[in-house]
Amino acid sequence: LTAFVEDECIPAEAEYRRDLGEGAQRWKAVPQVMERLKERARTLGLWNLFLTKEYAEGAGLSNYEYAVLCEIMGRSPAIAPEACNCSAPDTGNMEVFAKYGTPEQKKRWLQPLLEGKIRSAFAMTEPDVASSDATNICTRIERSSRGGYVVNGRKWWISGAGHPNCAVFITMGKSDLSAKKHSQQSIIVVPADAPGVKVVRPLTVFGYDDAPHGHCEVVFENVWVPEENLILGEGRGFEVIQGRLGPGRIHHCMRSLGMGERAMELMVQRVQSRSTFGRKISEHGVVLDFIAKSRMDLEAARMLVLRAADMIDKVGAKNALKEIAM
């Protein structure tokens, strides 16, 4: 994996950015270099590494083992995870289908996701409420008089919703306002091409919109979906999202560490190549202090995240809440 990322993914980053283009074009097609690298990853056996040994569809790794690989892929964040079919939010969504999906849901959605033929999004956060507390979610999932459910709500910061291959939303909403606080929510599968689904706009972080996947505002207006699209059952939304949450945090944190390591290398290269006041920047004490503190921060963060991954393997996510929260 290290050789694939360093020798093939990182050198392809300039080609990827060039082929992505500019403006609205960036949301319409995936650069061909990505498809080439996906085929290469398959050939090398670096495909679908994220599903742990408890899943028949997975590579048989533990959370700890996969966490180490996430750091490697994080060194090329725009390319390596997707090239290995290990990018968010697809990994968490595939885990939902693998863990809770019916045979029909797995056939229709999990299989093409595992094959890298489609992408997906997880629709939970909303603009009108503090969505870090998921009991605040206002989107409604109501039974329809003609069978199935009707979904109405507005979501935002929905990662992956702008991708041209995004085919499905795993959507959280309230199905029973009279139930107990943590039993009002349900999770339902909404096809991206269902009538009433509208991707309003990509949102930006520090001016970046992260095309072609994006973090989008999405409206569900009278979207009808069949009853068989419900995940696990009415009122079991919290059960589903909690099962998805722990490993996903490990993946994000370790990819971030990979980015941090690469940034650290670039910093060291820069201070060794430039001079101020008659000596190299790297010879200034304050710069050495910056580098040393950065190294300690990276090492400490890595140990903290790997401990959480190890605890999930040993005692399960429910019993590793403290480690996951840190």
Side-chain angles (χ1 to χ4, degrees):
L1 180 63
T2 297
F4 175 64
V5 172
E6 297 296 324
D7 301 338
E8 300 188 51
C9 294
I10 291 177
E13 289 173 347
E15 180 183 352
Y16 179 86
R17 288 193 296 270
R18 184 180 66 249
D19 290 352
L20 190 60
E22 298 179 357
Q25 173 189 341
R26 298 168 304 138
W27 303 97
K28 295 179 180 179
V30 179
Q32 284 301 306
V33 64
M34 180 61 75
E35 297 304 316
R36 187 172 74 240
L37 288 169
K38 285 165 72 172
E39 287 302 316
R40 177 65 173 153
R42 281 178 179 268
T43 301
L44 294 171
L46 301 174
W47 191 256
N48 290 335
L49 301 170
F50 64 94
L51 281 175
T52 52
K53 57 184 69 177
E54 62 187 282
Y55 300 105
E57 302 90 349
L61 302 174
S62 66
N63 284 288
Y64 183 95
E65 290 166 334
Y66 178 62
V68 176
L69 303 184
C70 277
E71 180 176 349
I72 298 170
M73 288 185 280
R75 291 178 59 83
S76 180
I79 292 183
E82 184 174 353
C84 296
N85 210 37
C86 292
S87 54
D90 295 331
T91 50
N93 292 340
M94 284 188 269
E95 188 171 0
V96 166
F97 284 123
K99 190 170 186 177
Y100 304 112
T102 64
E104 179 57 33
Q105 289 168 350
K106 290 181 179 181
K107 180 180 178 181
R108 182 174 181 187
W109 304 115
L110 177 59
Q111 196 55 44
L113 281 166
L114 287 170
E115 293 173 0
K117 293 180 179 179
I118 64 172
R119 298 294 305 274
S120 63
F122 187 77
M124 187 180 83
T125 303
E126 299 180 359
D128 295 329
V129 295
S131 305
S132 57
D133 177 357
T135 63
N136 289 331
I137 296 300
C138 293
T139 293
R140 296 302 311 277
I141 301 173
E142 299 175 291
R143 284 192 174 272
S144 170
S145 58
R146 61 189 179 105
Y149 294 89
V150 174
V151 181
N152 280 286
R154 182 180 296 269
K155 304 286 189 178
W156 72 347
W157 299 109
I158 307 307
S159 298
H163 199 283
N165 296 336
C166 181
V168 60
F169 292 88
I170 293 182
T171 306
M172 186 177 194
K174 287 186 176 179
S175 54
D176 185 357
L177 298 180
S178 65
K180 292 182 180 180
K181 187 175 183 180
H182 291 87
S183 298
Q184 298 179 9
Q185 300 79 13
S186 297
I187 299 290
I188 200 162
V189 179
V190 180
D193 61 357
V197 177
K198 181 181 179 181
V199 177
V200 178
R201 57 175 176 142
L203 302 169
T204 59
V205 180
F206 296 125
Y208 293 93
D209 59 16
D210 289 326
H213 54 90
H215 314 285
C216 301
E217 181 179 356
V218 182
V219 169
F220 299 91
E221 185 175 359
N222 295 321
V223 181
W224 182 87
V225 290
E227 187 170 352
E228 56 264 29
N229 282 28
L230 201 66
I231 296 282
L232 205 57
E234 284 192 25
R236 302 183 71 178
F238 261 88
E239 184 178 347
V240 175
I241 65 171
Q242 288 299 323
R244 179 187 189 275
L245 191 59
R249 289 184 176 180
I250 302 297
H251 306 168
H252 280 304
C253 289
M254 291 305 291
R255 280 192 294 264
S256 295
L257 279 163
M259 292 182 237
E261 283 288 353
R262 190 171 170 197
M264 178 87 172
E265 292 171 11
L266 293 172
M267 177 171 64
V268 170
Q269 291 172 14
R270 184 176 180 85
V271 299
Q272 288 179 330
S273 65
R274 296 194 170 205
S275 298
T276 59
F277 307 108
R279 53 179 172 170
K280 288 186 176 180
I281 295 176
S282 60
E283 295 173 359
H284 291 282
V286 67
V287 174
L288 292 175
D289 181 62
F290 292 158
I291 293 172
K293 287 180 177 176
S294 297
R295 169 50 56 204
M296 288 187 287
D297 286 344
L298 285 169
E299 295 293 338
R302 180 182 295 107
M303 292 299 102
L304 194 64
V305 180
L306 288 178
R307 172 171 166 74
D310 186 51
M311 288 296 289
I312 293 175
D313 288 330
K314 289 178 177 177
V315 301
K318 285 187 178 180
N319 295 312
L321 295 179
K322 180 178 69 174
E323 288 78 11
I324 293 171
M326 286 191 289

